């Protein structure tokens, strides 16, 4: 099973790979991985704040509390005037060894409408290998919703995807040590004359002077 640290490490790698500003912030009792993105979508400045922290077990109460604190942090770090020229999208998630049904239901529910923003909750169950979140359309335009959904599913991958990535990385690290030494190929030596049939043109056999031609190399 994946550890929460392995999952958060994969998230941090994806945030940096996609151009986000990666930070580690204390949010409530947890140390959270925070990724900040600024993109232009439909003439508006989209401020994405992806926040994730590890907890032993994910409950609905813990998820709501963490999301509220993450939203306050995101609003304090956004670019532009919220609601007029800019929008703030907060994607907050808790990663744990177990997700209770109420937390899974809360994360999967359609998020409420906000003025100039949106908040998505994510619950990642590492023991069950599940990621719970709302990924669907809302009253915003299709371009905006597609951008939000893509950011969520990329920064919060399915646990199986992270596990396969870690297995591949470990195999890449171990392969050079296990690779057998290179053995030079044996030189291609042609077979001796007449051993296995003609191998290329054979030199002619001339009879000695004054004798009739022989029928073969041994004269019979």
């Amino acid at each position: 099973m994946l550890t929460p640290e392995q999952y958060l490490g994969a998230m941090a790698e994806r945030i940096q790979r996609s151009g986000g500003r990666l930070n580690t912030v204390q949010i409530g009792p947890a140390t959270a991985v925070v990724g900040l993105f600024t993109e232009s979508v439909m003439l508006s400045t989209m401020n994405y704040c992806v926040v994730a922290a590890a907890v032993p077990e994910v409950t609905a109460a813990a998820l709501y509390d963490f999301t509220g604190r993450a939203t306050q942090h995101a609003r304090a770090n956004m670019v532009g005037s919220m609601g007029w020229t800019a929008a703030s999208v907060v994607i907050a998630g808790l990663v744990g060894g177990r997700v209770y049904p109420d937390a899974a239901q809360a994360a999967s529910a359609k998020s409420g409408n906000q003025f100039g923003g949106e908040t998505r909750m994510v619950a990642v169950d590492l023991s069950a290998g599940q990621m719970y979140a709302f990924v669907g359309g809302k009253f915003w335009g299709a371009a905006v919703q597609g951008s939000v959904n893509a950011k969520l599913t990329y920064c919060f991958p399915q646990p199986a995807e992270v596990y396969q990535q870690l297995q591949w990385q470990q195999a890449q690290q171990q392969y050079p040590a296990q690779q057998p030494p290179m053995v030079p190929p044996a030189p291609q030596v042609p077979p001796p004359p007449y051993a296995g049939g003609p191998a290329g043109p054979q030199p002619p056999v001339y009879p000695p002077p004054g004798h009739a031609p022989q029928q073969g190399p041994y004269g019979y």
Side-chain angles (χ1 to χ4, degrees):
M1 187 182 80
L2 284 174
T3 65
E5 292 73 22
Q6 288 175 325
Y7 188 90
L8 292 179
M11 282 192 63
E13 180 181 342
R14 286 176 172 236
I15 289 172
Q16 290 182 308
R17 191 187 307 166
S18 57
R21 300 183 301 278
L22 180 66
N23 296 295
T24 302
V25 179
Q26 189 73 24
I27 296 183
T31 301
V33 173
V34 179
L36 298 176
F37 303 84
T38 304
E39 299 178 0
S40 295
V41 180
M42 302 294 291
L43 303 179
S44 297
T45 300
M46 298 289 294
N47 292 269
Y48 291 97
C49 184
V50 179
V51 191
V55 293
E57 296 179 330
V58 183
T59 63
L63 188 59
Y64 279 117
D65 179 73
F66 178 77
T67 302
R69 296 174 186 268
T71 302
Q72 292 178 357
H73 175 79
R75 300 290 191 264
N77 291 274
M78 69 174 294
V79 177
S81 300
M82 181 173 173
W84 303 107
T85 60
S88 176
V89 176
V90 181
I91 304 174
L94 289 177
V95 182
R98 179 185 178 188
V99 172
Y100 283 89
D102 60 347
Q105 183 177 3
S108 303
K110 188 174 182 178
S111 55
N113 297 340
Q114 300 174 2
F115 175 69
E118 185 174 352
T119 301
R120 298 279 185 97
M121 294 192 298
V122 184
V124 181
D125 191 330
L126 296 179
S127 61
Q130 292 289 330
M131 186 273 288
Y132 301 96
F134 170 74
V135 181
K138 290 184 59 181
F139 71 101
W140 284 19
V144 173
Q145 282 303 299
S147 179
V148 174
N149 295 337
K151 191 72 67 182
L152 188 153
T153 54
Y154 182 78
C155 292
F156 281 93
Q158 292 289 343
E161 186 178 348
V162 177
Y163 181 77
Q164 291 175 356
Q165 178 182 346
L166 291 176
Q167 292 291 99
W168 181 84
Q169 291 175 348
Q170 292 175 0
Q172 291 295 107
Q173 294 173 359
Q174 296 173 359
Y175 180 74
Q178 297 178 352
Q179 187 174 6
M182 293 296 292
V183 179
Q188 297 293 329
V189 179
Y194 304 104
Q202 301 296 329
V205 179
Y206 296 100
H211 291 77
Q214 298 178 347
Q215 299 300 321
Y218 300 102
Y220 60 91

